[in-house]
């Protein structure tokens, strides 16, 4: 049997993008830092987002049925820490410049890319909820280009990944 601590240790070696996932609705704006985000299919455009059920924001995402995935660049390391902290939702959103697209979930203006989504299915798996999210709008950074670097997490530390010339 695989122990949880051994699994976590092994998973620390899986490089993941760092994202701030947000929602907005009757109970206000909420968000958290997430690395468990991936594409599912392009027809229809669908993302999978995992969230700990013990998170104080969990019920807001369930109730609102919308979210935005904001993919962070290296300049957003502090923002990632803010959304992973114990700060209140209002204090978290005081950092960064925010707008919205179709669903009303907060979109980080200078994110590398933001995916605005409607949550179509929720599956509980162990300690987490898996949100299956239909993408209804996408906003790419106006400055996206060869000098952009993505903020990633590897071996329990932030790292950067950027486009390189492989030719």
């Amino acid at each position: 049997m695989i122990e949880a601590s051994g699994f976590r240790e092994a998973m620390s070696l899986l490089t993941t993008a760092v994202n701030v996932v947000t929602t907005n609705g009757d109970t206000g704006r909420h968000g958290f830092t997430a690395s468990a985000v991936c594409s599912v299919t392009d027809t229809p455009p669908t993302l999978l987002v995992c969230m700990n059920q013990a998170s104080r924001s969990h019920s807001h995402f369930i109730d609102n049925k919308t979210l935005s995935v904001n993919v962070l660049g290296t300049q957003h390391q502090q923002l990632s820490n803010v959304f992973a902290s114990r700060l209140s939702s209002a204090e978290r959103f005081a950092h960064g410049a925010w707008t919205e697209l179709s669903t009303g979930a907060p979109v980080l203006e200078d994110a590398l890319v933001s995916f605005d989504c409607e949550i179509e299915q929720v599956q509980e798996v162990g300690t987490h909820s898996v949100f299956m999210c239909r993408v209804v709008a996408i906003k790419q950074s106006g400055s996206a280009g060869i000098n952009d670097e993505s903020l990633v997490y590897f071996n329990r530390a932030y790292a950067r990944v950027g486009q390189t010339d492989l030719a």
Side-chain angles (χ1 to χ4, degrees):
M1 183 163 130
I2 297 172
E3 296 293 325
S5 61
F7 181 72
R8 283 191 303 273
E9 184 66 29
M11 289 303 296
S12 75
L13 300 176
L14 176 68
T15 305
T16 58
V18 180
N19 310 279
V20 167
V21 180
T22 62
T23 191
N24 193 13
D26 292 339
T27 59
R29 299 192 301 179
H30 300 276
F32 67 102
T33 298
S35 59
V37 174
C38 71
S39 65
V40 176
T41 181
D42 64 356
T43 309
T46 305
L47 294 178
L48 173 152
V49 177
C50 298
M51 182 180 195
N52 192 316
Q53 294 168 12
S55 166
R56 65 182 174 190
S57 299
H58 184 265
S59 64
H60 301 290
F61 283 83
I62 297 291
D63 293 343
N64 292 340
K65 297 181 177 58
T66 64
L67 61 77
S68 286
V69 174
N70 299 280
V71 180
L72 302 185
T74 55
Q75 73 274 23
H76 298 118
Q77 183 173 330
Q78 179 59 31
L79 186 68
S80 171
N81 290 332
V82 164
F83 275 81
S85 74
R86 296 189 181 271
L87 291 175
S88 71
S89 290
E91 291 170 312
R92 290 176 179 187
F93 283 102
H95 298 266
W98 301 92
T99 188
E100 60 185 53
L101 298 176
S102 298
T103 69
V107 170
L108 183 62
E109 287 185 5
D110 64 343
L112 294 180
V113 63
S114 297
F115 299 92
D116 197 28
C117 305
E118 295 174 352
I119 299 171
E120 292 195 328
Q121 295 177 29
V122 180
Q123 177 71 43
E124 292 183 7
V125 180
T127 59
H128 282 65
S129 289
V130 179
F131 301 132
M132 299 300 287
C133 308
R134 185 172 50 86
V135 179
V136 296
I138 298 172
K139 178 186 173 294
Q140 287 189 263
S141 172
S143 64
I146 196 154
N147 295 325
D148 286 339
E149 291 183 313
S150 179
L151 185 63
V152 298
Y153 205 69
F154 173 76
N155 203 16
R156 295 187 175 84
Y158 290 109
R160 24 178 96 209
V161 174
Q163 194 169 12
T164 60
D165 184 7
L166 298 176

